[in-house]
Amino acid sequence: MKSNTVQILTTVLSNVAVLAGLVFLIFELRQNSAIALSEIRQERNLNMTDHSLANARNEKFSGLLGKLTVACAFDEITEIEWYQIIQYEKGIKARITDVWFQYEQGFMDNLAYKNSLRYAANSESLWAFLGISPFPQPSFVEDLETLKSSDDFQHSRFSTKFTQWVDGKKTLAQY
């Protein structure tokens, strides 16, 4: 074999090896991205489960949430219970803000984001009453308005009843 032929074969084989390495690297990056998304979702689900279980174990707080969201007995909620609800809802809003951030970064799936949007849409009148500030992220607000104007969105029973109850009342922030 001529030395020129050996050089050409060596160059071709080197290029094929580099190309194979790049294909392998792309495959690995995609796999790592899928694993990261899976871990984020699992961590979020574990946090939500822990949050729900903690509420379930606390009989008084579970009763308060039931009085608020299921029985819609808003007039029976005491001042101190409203303050508990403020802290609870601030935590929920912080979680939703985190979901939005992760969704914007491509780390949160669409279903989890849509569920957070629905919760936020159904909590707007409650949050306004509690004095919890609205979302500052324009893209989240835009997505929220799009959801509320869509044909398949309907406010929850709680949201409808609370909006009717709160009409004309002062917010807790005004007291």
Side-chain angles (χ1 to χ4, degrees):
M1 272 184 153
K2 295 182 182 178
S3 78
N4 193 20
T5 306
V6 172
Q7 276 184 321
I8 291 173
L9 282 175
T10 306
T11 303
V12 168
L13 287 175
S14 296
N15 288 340
V16 168
V18 168
L19 185 60
L22 286 174
V23 168
F24 179 75
L25 182 62
I26 290 169
F27 176 75
E28 285 293 313
L29 287 173
R30 284 186 178 167
Q31 189 175 18
N32 287 341
S33 178
I35 290 169
L37 285 172
S38 176
E39 287 175 351
I40 288 169
R41 184 176 180 135
Q42 182 178 8
E43 184 67 28
R44 180 176 181 272
N45 287 337
L46 288 173
N47 287 338
M48 289 174 60
T49 300
D50 288 345
H51 178 84
S52 295
L53 290 174
N55 291 339
R57 283 186 216 105
N58 185 330
E59 191 174 311
K60 276 184 83 175
F61 194 70
S62 285
L64 172 58
L65 289 178
K67 196 180 342 180
L68 174 70
T69 60
V70 179
C72 298
F74 312 120
D75 289 320
E76 295 177 20
I77 298 174
T78 67
E79 185 177 2
I80 194 75
E81 288 174 330
W82 280 118
Y83 296 137
Q84 285 181 289
I85 292 168
I86 288 171
Q87 298 311 313
Y88 174 79
E89 290 296 329
K90 281 183 177 179
I92 296 291
K93 185 179 175 230
R95 179 179 294 148
I96 290 172
T97 302
D98 182 56
V99 169
W100 166 81
F101 175 78
Q102 290 184 32
Y103 179 78
E104 288 286 306
Q105 302 302 312
F107 295 130
M108 184 63 62
D109 60 87
N110 196 42
L111 179 62
Y113 182 61
K114 293 292 183 192
N115 286 338
S116 293
L117 276 174
R118 286 188 186 283
Y119 189 95
N122 283 303
S123 298
E124 283 183 315
S125 59
L126 174 64
W127 290 347
F129 174 72
L130 298 175
I132 297 174
S133 62
F135 287 94
Q137 301 87 355
S139 64
F140 185 87
V141 173
E142 185 179 310
D143 289 349
L144 193 58
E145 293 306 316
T146 300
L147 170 71
K148 291 189 309 188
S149 65
S150 71
D151 292 335
D152 68 331
F153 177 75
Q154 188 174 6
H155 280 282
S156 67
R157 177 181 165 273
F158 159 77
S159 178
T160 302
K161 286 190 173 274
F162 188 83
T163 301
Q164 292 167 350
W165 176 81
V166 79
D167 189 34
K169 289 185 173 41
K170 290 181 179 179
T171 68
L172 288 181
Q174 293 175 324
Y175 284 102

